[in-house]
Amino acid sequence: MHPTGDEPAPPPDAERVDPAVLTALLRRHGWQRRGGTAGRYSRWTPPAADGRQGEQGTSLLVPDARPHGARSAYADYGDLLTEALTALARSPAPSAAEVLRALTIPGDEIRWRRDVPRIGDAVPWTTAEHLRAAARAMLLAAARAARRPAGYFGERHGQYAAAFLGQVLVGPSPGGHLLTAYTPVPDGRQVATTLLRALQATRDAVDYQRATAGMQAFDDAVCLGVSHELAQSLVRLVRGTEGVAIALAWSPAAGPPAGFAARPEPVEFSPGDLPALEAAGARYLHREPSVAVRLTGTVARLRRPAPTGGGTVRLRVLSGADVRQVRVRLDEEAYRIAVHAHLAGLAVQVSGRLESRGGFRRLAAPSGVGPVELDEAERDRLLKAPHGGAGGFADT
């Protein structure tokens, strides 16, 4: 019987499967090559961890890769591949389902594993929710860092990160202590490589802090993608566990990216790392400087406490800053300009310092406030540009 009790999914079309990719996935998931016929096929048996299948002699015959320009190398090429895929689809072995899923879902694979107390193979509901929330926050942090590294992002690059997250596919999460995601290739590969570099740099910085009590390694790691948001996601992932591991496996069809190991080692963290991670998160939050900007935006809200004097304006940012909205306190003359621009349907330009305090949502020391006219095409282009906040996605 299939482990979930459901009917097994049909195998993928053999015409769409590259035997080289299939054998790479079998090797990745612990299957053992047990010989075969050179130039024809190889024989594979499942790992012992999958149960008694290996004892029963279950095996797959996988044909060698098809020669270039040839529809088939030999008469039973297609039959062998179809039989191998069918056997995988019918197998109750967890690794067989993983191989088929990776064949069907293209992309690099990211896997989170939490060592948490379990009853059977089940965990508390909140534990499973914490895993998904931490993984989501980690991917958002990596996407922001792939855009442009920073110690603290706040709202910056939020819309870009949310758009990336919309392309990520999530596999089943048995027991609530495991989660697998597939990031698109090639479009999402920069995020995957940024995440791996950042996790490795975080591991090194934590080790340095625990050995020396120094935080310099965290400062140096910002250029590698480490940030307040990444540190916070790791705190959430590790807390309440005996340890966690994050593993990346490259798409076998695309191969490893240049400069990276073909099979990266999982990056592991333990509860003993929490003080260093928490200190790093606070350090990044307090040390990120304000950013000088000249932005263009439309007036979304006007407010002042009296009929005269200055007031507060909320701008929907069109360009000049990687945030969705900012608030700015204007004097009476600048406030009047913003009101007139709003009534006339014009955008406003303003210079100032985008303050990290509060998530880069406030513009301090505003100057040079003036209306600017945008034609419909330019306004539409700016509204659709990948900047601003995460919209309906909450930054965690």
Side-chain angles (χ1 to χ4, degrees), residues 192-208 217-218 221 224-226 230 234 246 248 250 259-261 263-269:
T193 55
T194 297
L195 176 59
L196 179 58
R197 279 199 191 99
L199 289 172
Q200 292 170 339
T202 302
R203 179 68 266 169
D204 292 342
V206 168
D207 290 341
Y208 181 85
F218 280 106
L224 297 174
V226 186
L230 182 72
L234 281 166
I246 306 101
L248 276 79
W250 311 118
F260 287 84
R263 301 183 68 181
E265 290 292 323
V267 185
E268 299 180 349
F269 295 90

Side-chain angles (χ1 to χ4, degrees), residues 136-150 152-162 164 190-191 194 225 227 229-230 322 359 361 388-391 393-396:
R136 178 184 183 279
M138 187 177 292
L139 288 176
L140 287 172
R144 286 179 159 105
R147 184 80 167 176
R148 188 179 301 128
Y152 171 58
F153 292 105
E155 266 205 355
R156 291 183 295 173
H157 317 315
Q159 188 170 325
Y160 172 83
F164 164 77
Q190 186 179 2
V191 176
T194 297
S227 65
E229 286 79 4
L230 182 72
D322 288 303
R361 297 181 178 94
F393 293 84
D395 294 339
T396 54

Side-chain angles (χ1 to χ4, degrees), residues 7 79 115 128 147 246 266:
E7 287 298 319
D79 293 339
D115 188 1
R147 184 80 167 176
I246 306 101

